[in-house]
Amino acid sequence: MLPLIKVFFMAQIIGISGSLRTGSFNTALLRAAGSLMPDEAELAIESISGIPLYNFDIESAAGIPDAVRKLQDRLEHCDGLLISTPEYNNSIPGVLKNAIDWLSRPADEIDRVFGGLPVALMGATPGAFGTTLSQAAWLPVMRTLGTELWSGGRLMLPKAGNAFDSDGNLVDEALRERLSRFLRGFVEFVDQD
Ligand code: FNR
């Protein structure tokens, strides 16, 4: 009889928040996700705060900024990307779109950085509709980049101020359960990839 060999796979997920502000609900949601990840996965939160405004003049004169290059390399070597997106004017927040645009440069890097990358979207807002329109607006971007968007679960957090305490801890028990289920679904998707 052959010995049973169990290979343990620890999925490495990168988390990116689409907000730069210190008290961001989206960053708090991402931190909560880090503490609720299934045992077989780890979440590393990366910041987009060092990424300049995209300008082709910068790209052609100085190349890809270090902050962009480092994040491109992190994305190439991770197993999945979890985005927590605010909604601005019923659409994508500019700072995160700017970061994704830089990460897609030069265009022949798109496949290395994003091709086949499992991606999950979630979002938080103090508003009533939970980032529905922002999340929908990301879909064509993710398709254009060739990611493998996970659509097996959705996580919209409306009225986000009620879900966190003043230190940004997620105190809404029902939401913790929903977030855990969402993360389990995404990690199963990543594991099958
Ligand atoms: C907003 N906000 C917002 N909220 C929403 O649910 N739908 C929307 O269309 C908008 N539009 C919008 C435009 C602009 C320019 C700003 C600055 C804000 C409110 C937004 O959800 C709120 O500021 C969140 O707190 C942003 O996310 P973080 O920073 O908490 O992660």
Side-chain angles (χ1 to χ4, degrees):
M1 189 163 146
L2 288 172
L4 279 178
I5 299 171
K6 189 171 179 202
V7 178
F8 187 71
F9 172 72
M10 176 67 85
Q12 307 291 330
I13 311 292
I14 301 266
I16 294 182
S17 167
S19 173
L20 304 180
R21 80 186 180 94
T22 315
S24 160
F25 293 125
N26 284 280
T27 307
L29 184 62
L30 210 48
R31 275 199 304 268
S35 70
L36 294 170
M37 288 305 271
D39 289 344
E40 67 274 23
E42 283 177 343
L43 183 74
I45 298 177
E46 296 287 341
S47 172
I48 57 168
S49 64
I51 296 182
L53 283 179
Y54 180 76
N55 181 338
F56 182 70
D57 294 344
I58 297 176
E59 183 182 339
S60 57
I64 304 298
D66 275 355
V68 176
R69 181 69 69 201
K70 280 187 190 137
L71 196 45
Q72 285 178 322
D73 292 345
R74 296 278 288 133
L75 289 171
E76 179 191 0
H77 294 111
C78 78
D79 300 304
L81 170 63
L82 173 62
I83 290 175
S84 190
T85 183
E87 177 171 299
Y88 282 179
N89 295 314
N90 288 356
S91 191
I92 286 171
V95 289
L96 184 52
K97 180 62 162 54
N98 176 72
I100 296 290
D101 290 342
W102 258 123
L103 290 164
S104 71
R105 297 298 302 166
D108 58 12
E109 288 283 65
I110 292 176
D111 195 44
R112 174 177 81 91
V113 176
F114 291 107
L117 179 66
V119 173
L121 287 166
M122 60 182 186
T125 170
F129 301 108
T131 71
T132 309
L133 292 169
S134 172
Q135 292 194 37
W138 277 110
L139 302 183
V141 178
M142 292 300 142
R143 183 180 60 184
T144 298
L145 296 174
T147 67
E148 290 285 336
L149 190 75
W150 177 61
S151 58
R154 303 183 87 189
L155 200 117
M156 326 282 194
L157 173 53
K159 311 268 183 227
N162 299 335
F164 298 97
D165 67 16
S166 55
D167 294 323
N169 300 307
L170 184 54
V171 290
D172 178 331
E173 274 310 316
L175 180 63
R176 288 175 71 82
E177 180 46 42
R178 243 181 348 117
L179 179 56
S180 299
R181 214 176 319 124
F182 177 82
L183 295 169
R184 276 199 303 276
F186 181 49
V187 170
E188 273 169 26
F189 177 75
V190 168
D191 285 351
Q192 285 160 14
D193 197 56

